[in-house]
Amino acid sequence: MTLASFAVSCYDDKSTSGEITDTVEIDTTGFGPKIEIANGSTLRLSPKVSPANDPDLAYEWKITVTSNGNETTFSKLSEEKDLERVITQAPSQKPYSLVFTVTNKRTGVQYMQRYNVYVISRMGDGVLVADTRDGATSDISLVRNKYVSAGYTGDTQYIRDSYSFTNGQKMEGVMRKLVYGPIGNTAQAFYVTAMTDKTLENLDASTHGVIQNFDQMFTFPPEKDKKFQTLGTNFNSVFFVYEGDIYAYARQINAITQTFSDPLNYVSPSQIANKKFGNEYLQVNADMGDVFFFDETKGAFYHMTPAAYPIAPLTAGTGGSVNFDPNALSGYTLIGSCRGEQVSRSPVHVRVHFILKDPQGAIDVYRLSNRYDPDFNNGSYFYESDGKYSAATCPDIENALCFEGSYKRSVIYYATKNKVYPCVIGGSAVGVNESGAFTAPAGEEITTMSLFREAWSYYDQQSTEMEVMEEDANQLLVATYNNTTQEGKVYVLPITGNSGSLGTADADHTFTGFGRITALGTQGKQ
């Protein structure tokens, strides 16, 4: 494609054979007027300019700041003939205008070529990795490969430090939790909600740019001087616990942004203010939308449905060979919690697990259930105790870093500094699957872990439009850190059998090159 535009100017014509010509031609054959590129990628264009190597020709590449179609403000990209520049513009369905200008300094005449540049998201579905390299700030990276990204067949792709790339700085604090979901319930736009020990933000999932900072996430922003405890999501709600205050909102139709209003009216929020970070504090059943937590001071379990916000005690059930009263656990200490198996989707019957130490020092797993009985009172939900299981044979479980479970198996996982143990729940005790455990390589220590959940599975496991990967809930993500090399890694460990044995991680199942990893998550296609 050749295009030249002219301005009126007086000059001597030296266009005879063998002399410099003042007529400039721009030949862009090979790249048309429409260019598509992922944000964060390097745009490389090498137009042919005639005459070549003329020292009196000046070059400029510039691009519009926004893609609203009426933009007249440009950002300069380069003053070289060949463009090689990282494109930082946000993804948009509308094109940006890229203009290449050649100026003949002898005549003042400018020759211009304009292109439509469509910036698409470089993001996709895959594993979110949050790390810190200074212990005070965090960054987020996305990793994609065929084992964690639906339909992806290429080599492992790292989109590193996407938060700082987009926002120009790292996130304040050390990351504690990453959750992904739609803003509103129409699934037209998706956020990654990120919580560190210092702040809470909503991020655009297509760029990891900040959409709402801490103050913008609240109708009436609280003081930013309390403990950030935990963050969770399910198919219709988001909830946040801030030094005992529980905030929640239900996803609204066609919402652009949403905010937390006043904290829920729980009778003793201050009594649950000093729990550990992460899911040790309370457990969300993301498949069915219910939240369970243990109040140490009251010695009782509670549950809430974030969409409706009632907080209520549990009842004593009849499940398990040994059961317990969920409201009579005075003096018990919370060790941790994790999701449990989905016994049935229709009618609903799902479980969660809490690990408690009794006043005598014995540690047991306490199973809770949410089940729907269609025949009782024309249909009723029951939130109840569902069995107690001794953890006496579980090595060092009291000092576990974190816990995980799976909706596909009656198995819990707990991580110590250098080992992850699968534990099968059955009878009256928890059986340790030693042969199926994972041991961190020499020199590495475990920092966190997370069950791999393909992001769509949180919203509709039965939808034909959201087909869930075979690997969903069949892989455990385990992060390690080597203090000598200062490198963090993620091992994607296959889970096999009813006993939840952990396989080995080959090169395709190992993600490398991070700092100290403090949180893991997943996000869906953009």
Side-chain angles (χ1 to χ4, degrees):
M1 176 179 295
T2 303
L3 181 148
S5 60
F6 301 91
V8 176
S9 179
C10 296
Y11 59 94
D12 293 332
D13 186 354
K14 298 181 180 180
S15 59
T16 58
S17 177
E19 296 184 329
I20 296 176
T21 176
D22 285 315
T23 300
V24 175
E25 292 185 347
I26 303 172
D27 185 356
T28 58
T29 302
F31 53 98
K34 176 182 177 181
I35 299 170
E36 185 176 275
I37 188 169
N39 82 309
S41 298
T42 300
L43 180 59
R44 296 180 175 89
L45 298 175
S46 298
K48 294 179 180 179
V49 176
S50 298
N53 304 316
D54 186 339
D56 286 327
L57 296 184
Y59 309 98
E60 181 187 63
W61 293 91
K62 61 182 181 180
I63 192 170
T64 50
V65 175
T66 65
S67 60
N68 61 18
N70 300 312
E71 179 64 71
T72 57
T73 302
F74 286 81
S75 173
K76 184 185 293 186
L77 296 179
S78 176
E79 292 184 347
E80 301 293 332
K81 181 185 79 67
D82 295 336
L83 177 65
E84 184 173 350
R85 183 68 178 265
V86 174
I87 297 301
T88 60
Q89 271 67 15
S92 175
Q93 294 181 350
K94 295 181 179 180
Y96 294 85
S97 290
L98 175 69
V99 178
F100 177 51
T101 303
V102 179
T103 302
N104 187 325
K105 293 185 287 186
R106 295 186 301 274
T107 66
V109 177
Q110 291 186 324
Y111 304 82
M112 304 174 66
Q113 177 70 63
R114 183 181 293 266
Y115 313 90
N116 286 329
V117 176
Y118 289 82
V119 179
I120 62 175
S121 173
R122 63 179 182 154
M123 302 297 185
D125 58 331
V127 171
L128 296 169
V129 181
D131 67 348
T132 181
R133 296 184 184 273
D134 59 8
T137 60
S138 296
D139 219 324
I140 301 172
S141 298
L142 177 70
V143 185
R144 306 187 71 219
N145 78 4
K146 60 185 177 182
Y147 299 107
V148 297
S149 307
Y152 183 80
T153 58
D155 295 333
T156 299
Q157 178 188 23
Y158 293 88
I159 302 172
R160 296 191 186 274
D161 301 333
S162 53
Y163 181 94
S164 61
F165 172 83
T166 303
N167 299 295
Q169 61 185 8
K170 294 187 177 184
M171 189 170 177
E172 177 191 13
V174 176
M175 195 71 69
R176 299 300 187 187
K177 203 79 171 180
L178 292 166
V179 300
Y180 167 82
I183 182 67
N185 60 8
T186 57
Q188 293 177 342
F190 290 85
Y191 279 4
V192 173
T193 306
M195 186 193 79
T196 70
D197 59 353
K198 298 294 185 182
T199 194
L200 179 74
E201 295 177 344
N202 265 336
L203 313 178
D204 182 343
S206 67
T207 63
H208 293 168
V210 177
I211 298 297
Q212 291 174 283
N213 62 28
F214 180 84
D215 286 344
Q216 293 166 338
M217 291 189 67
F218 297 86
T219 306
F220 307 102
E223 294 296 324
K224 196 178 174 184
D225 59 356
K226 299 179 181 179
K227 288 187 177 181
F228 291 77
Q229 288 181 257
T230 196
L231 171 74
T233 187
N234 52 47
F235 65 90
N236 64 358
S237 303
V238 175
F239 66 90
F240 165 59
V241 184
Y242 190 41
E243 199 162 312
D245 287 340
I246 303 176
Y247 293 84
Y249 63 72
R251 304 185 193 281
Q252 302 297 318
I253 296 175
N254 295 325
I256 302 301
T257 59
Q258 291 184 244
T259 58
F260 298 111
S261 55
D262 291 330
L264 308 188
N265 186 27
Y266 178 56
V267 294
S268 56
S270 63
Q271 296 174 353
I272 53 174
N274 296 314
K275 296 296 105 188
K276 299 177 182 179
F277 289 105
N279 68 356
E280 294 90 348
Y281 165 65
L282 78 173
Q283 182 57 42
V284 57
N285 186 324
D287 303 310
M288 293 300 159
D290 292 290
V291 177
F292 297 82
F293 62 90
F294 180 69
D295 187 322
E296 283 185 0
T297 303
K298 288 176 172 288
F301 283 104
Y302 292 85
H303 75 92
M304 72 173 181
T305 302
Y309 310 146
I311 297 176
L314 278 70
T315 57
T318 58
S321 59
V322 178
N323 214 308
F324 63 96
D325 184 343
N327 303 298
L329 299 169
S330 178
Y332 285 63
T333 302
L334 175 64
I335 303 297
S337 69
C338 63
R339 75 193 86 204
E341 71 271 30
Q342 179 176 287
V343 181
S344 170
R345 187 175 180 90
S346 183
V348 170
H349 187 184
V350 291
R351 292 167 170 162
V352 296
H353 300 107
F354 283 77
I355 298 86
L356 305 180
K357 182 171 70 172
D358 70 19
Q360 290 72 45
I363 297 177
D364 300 284
V365 175
Y366 293 78
R367 188 167 68 189
L368 310 177
S369 278
N370 166 20
R371 65 179 178 87
Y372 179 75
D373 187 341
D375 299 322
F376 185 87
N377 234 7
N378 295 320
S380 298
Y381 282 96
F382 291 87
Y383 302 88
E384 58 192 11
S385 58
D386 193 16
K388 172 184 171 182
Y389 304 87
S390 172
T393 62
C394 299
D396 206 24
I397 191 171
E398 184 174 358
N399 298 311
L401 300 173
C402 51
F403 293 82
E404 257 297 8
S406 171
Y407 74 90
K408 290 185 175 180
R409 297 170 178 84
S410 187
V411 175
I412 64 171
Y413 298 89
Y414 70 94
T416 63
K417 189 175 182 179
N418 59 9
K419 202 162 186 175
V420 177
Y421 295 94
C423 300
V424 182
I425 298 174
S428 61
V430 176
V432 181
N433 178 6
E434 287 272 9
S435 63
F438 165 79
T439 301
E444 299 178 19
E445 62 179 46
I446 296 170
T447 58
T448 190
M449 68 176 176
S450 179
L451 186 74
F452 173 70
R453 296 301 311 276
E454 203 281 322
W456 287 127
S457 65
Y458 279 92
Y459 306 106
D460 190 352
Q461 294 180 3
Q462 296 178 333
S463 171
T464 57
E465 296 179 1
M466 298 180 180
E467 187 173 342
V468 178
M469 296 175 65
E470 174 73 23
E471 289 83 0
D472 178 62
N474 286 322
Q475 298 181 137
L476 188 68
L477 309 175
V478 180
T480 68
Y481 186 69
N482 187 311
N483 283 291
T484 301
T485 63
Q486 297 186 332
E487 181 186 25
K489 297 180 180 180
V490 178
Y491 295 99
V492 183
L493 306 176
I495 300 173
T496 59
N498 291 331
S499 61
S501 293
L502 298 173
T504 58
D506 57 20
D508 286 340
H509 287 80
T510 305
F511 307 148
T512 60
F514 303 99
R516 177 179 285 274
I517 300 166
T518 59
L520 296 165
T522 57
Q523 73 172 41
K525 294 180 182 297
Q526 301 306 304

